[in-house]
Amino acid sequence: MKQVTIVGAGVMGRSIAYTAVQHGFLVIITDQSEQALTNAEQFIATEAEKALRRGKIVEDDVHRITQRVTYTVSLEEACKNADLVIEAVLEDIALKIKLFQQFDRLCKQDAILATNTSTMSPTEIAAQTERPEKCIAMHFFNPAHKMKLVEIIRGLDTSDETFEQVKQVAETLNKETVEVNEFPGFVTSRMNGLIGNEAMNLVMEGVASVEDVDKAMKFGLNHPMGPLELADLVGLDTRLRNMTYLYETLGETYRPCPLLVKYVKAGRLGRKSGRGFYTYDER
Ligand code: NAD
C-alpha cells in the first residue's frame, strides 16, 4: 500500500488525507469543488505548521507532508494509481454507489475501495461493483488526525484479506480499530446519534440551555465534549443525513429532532457555516 486516494475534501476527507500523508502514504485528494480542494490544501499546511510549532514534527516533515499530497478535480487521475480509495463525500447512498461504480472502472484491479460512511451499508454500495470482496467501510472520526478510533465494517462479501489489509493501514496510521458486522449506524453513530438527538430535544423542550446541556454531560457524565458542541463540529447537515438514514432503517427512536431539521433549513450548519447551536467567530 503506497498511494491512498481520498474522494471528498470536506471536513473528513482533508483530515484523513493529513493523517495518511503524516504516516508516509502518497496521497491524492479529489473533489468536484475547486474551493474544497483549496481549503483542504490550506488545512493540511496549517496543521503541519501547528505540529511544527508544538515540536511534534521537524521542518523537513512539513515539506514532506506538503509535497506528498496532490489535489485534483479529475477522478480519473486520482484513481489510476490508487492502492486504496477512501470515499468521504456526503452521506447519500445514491451518490456513494455512483462513485463506487466509477472507482471500479477507473482503479487497478487489486485496489481496495473503502467508504467513510457513518451509517450506511457497505454491502449495498459494494454490490454495484465488480469487486464486492474488495469493498469495506473504514469509519474515521472527526478530526481524523486526532481521534484514535477507526471502525472497520465488513460488507457481506468483504474478504478476510481486504479486512486485514485495511486493518493494517489503520494501524500504520496509529489508530485503534474495532471490527463491526454491518448494521445501520455500526456501534458509534448509532449510540452517538441518539445522545445528540436527546440533547437537541432537551433544548427544544426548554428543559435546559444549550450551554447547560453540554456542561451536564461533560461534568456529570465525563464526556470530553458536550453533545451539542460535537454536533456543531460534525456539521448539522451531516448529522441530519445520518439521523434520517437511521430513522428510515431502524425506526421511530431515531427520528431527527425537529430543532435539528429547522436549523439545517435555516443554514445553521455548525462550525462550517459559523453558526449552529453556538456562534463561531470566523477569525
Ligand atoms: P462535507 O460536507 O464536509 O464534505 C463532503 C465533500 O464531498 C464536499 O467537499 C463536496 O464538495 C464533496 N463531494 C460531493 N459530491 C462529490 C462528488 N460527486 N465527487 C467528489 N466530491 C464530492 O462532509 P463530511 O462531514 O466530510 O462527511 C463526509 C462523509 O464522512 C460522510 O459520509 C459522513 O457521514 C462521514 N463522516 C463524517 C463525520 C463528521 O464528523 N463530519 C465523521 C465521520 C464520518
Side-chain angles (χ1 to χ4, degrees):
M1 288 271 178
K2 279 205 183 99
Q3 193 198 293
V4 177
T5 289
I6 315 285
V7 182
V11 170
M12 289 308 290
R14 63 192 187 185
S15 71
I16 298 170
Y18 180 64
T19 310
V21 71
Q22 240 188 340
H23 290 89
F25 291 98
L26 266 178
V27 174
I28 298 195
I29 182 160
T30 179
D31 199 294
Q32 62 184 9
S33 152
E34 294 267 10
Q35 187 59 53
L37 290 172
T38 306
N39 293 347
E41 192 167 1
Q42 273 165 7
F43 172 86
I44 288 173
T46 308
E47 288 303 315
E49 287 297 334
K50 276 196 229 164
L52 176 68
R53 278 202 304 276
R54 291 186 192 131
K56 294 194 167 162
I57 58 176
V58 295
E59 190 76 46
D60 276 357
D61 295 327
V62 177
H63 289 297
R64 190 179 46 78
I65 286 170
T66 48
Q67 297 307 306
R68 286 169 69 98
V69 187
T70 307
Y71 303 84
T72 176
V73 287
S74 161
L75 189 63
E76 193 170 348
E77 189 191 328
C79 285
K80 69 178 182 223
N81 293 318
D83 297 307
L84 169 65
V85 175
I86 303 176
E87 166 276 308
V89 302
L90 310 179
E91 194 76 341
D92 173 332
I93 193 80
L95 175 60
K96 288 183 189 290
I97 288 175
K98 192 177 115 207
L99 281 169
F100 265 66
Q101 288 171 325
Q102 288 175 281
F103 305 158
D104 198 24
R105 275 202 310 277
L106 298 171
C107 290
K108 299 181 293 188
Q109 264 182 353
D110 59 352
I112 292 180
L113 311 180
T115 171
N116 183 50
T117 179
S118 304
T119 56
M120 293 178 168
S121 163
T123 302
E124 188 177 353
I125 298 168
Q128 304 300 322
T129 73
E130 300 293 324
R131 59 177 99 186
E133 74 289 354
K134 293 208 161 288
C135 296
I136 197 159
M138 219 180 161
H139 184 208
F140 288 84
F141 293 80
N142 183 8
H145 58 295
K146 293 190 180 150
M147 299 297 287
K148 236 1 221 163
L149 185 67
V150 176
E151 246 179 334
I152 305 178
I153 303 98
R154 286 173 183 265
L156 198 57
D157 292 317
T158 306
S159 68
D160 290 344
E161 193 190 352
T162 299
F163 177 83
E164 287 305 329
Q165 281 180 288
V166 160
K167 188 168 178 220
Q168 212 171 55
V169 170
E171 285 169 358
T172 307
L173 301 179
N174 201 19
K175 303 295 182 200
E176 294 289 333
T177 60
V178 288
E179 178 179 352
V180 180
N181 289 317
E182 179 179 317
F183 208 78
F186 322 134
V187 173
T188 53
S189 302
R190 189 167 155 189
M191 300 284 296
N192 191 43
L194 274 189
I195 295 169
N197 220 44
E198 269 317 286
M200 294 170 200
N201 283 328
L202 288 168
V203 171
M204 186 180 71
E205 290 160 7
V207 176
S209 66
V210 169
E211 290 78 6
D212 279 352
V213 169
D214 277 349
K215 191 173 176 184
M217 295 299 280
K218 283 191 283 193
F219 295 107
L221 298 180
N222 222 9
H223 285 218
M225 269 180 104
L228 299 167
E229 26 174 5
L230 179 57
D232 273 0
L233 177 72
V234 165
L236 299 187
D237 51 343
T238 301
R239 177 58 66 83
L240 179 57
R241 283 198 192 89
N242 294 346
M243 290 310 294
T244 303
Y245 182 77
L246 293 177
Y247 172 55
E248 285 165 4
T249 51
L250 299 177
E252 189 58 31
T253 315
Y254 294 84
R255 180 190 287 276
C257 172
L259 189 60
L260 173 64
V261 177
K262 199 190 281 184
Y263 276 15
V264 173
K265 281 185 182 156
R268 290 193 197 182
L269 307 182
R271 277 176 188 257
K272 63 170 103 170
S273 71
R275 194 170 178 198
F277 286 94
Y278 295 89
T279 301
Y280 301 87
D281 184 333
E282 284 265 320
R283 285 164 301 164

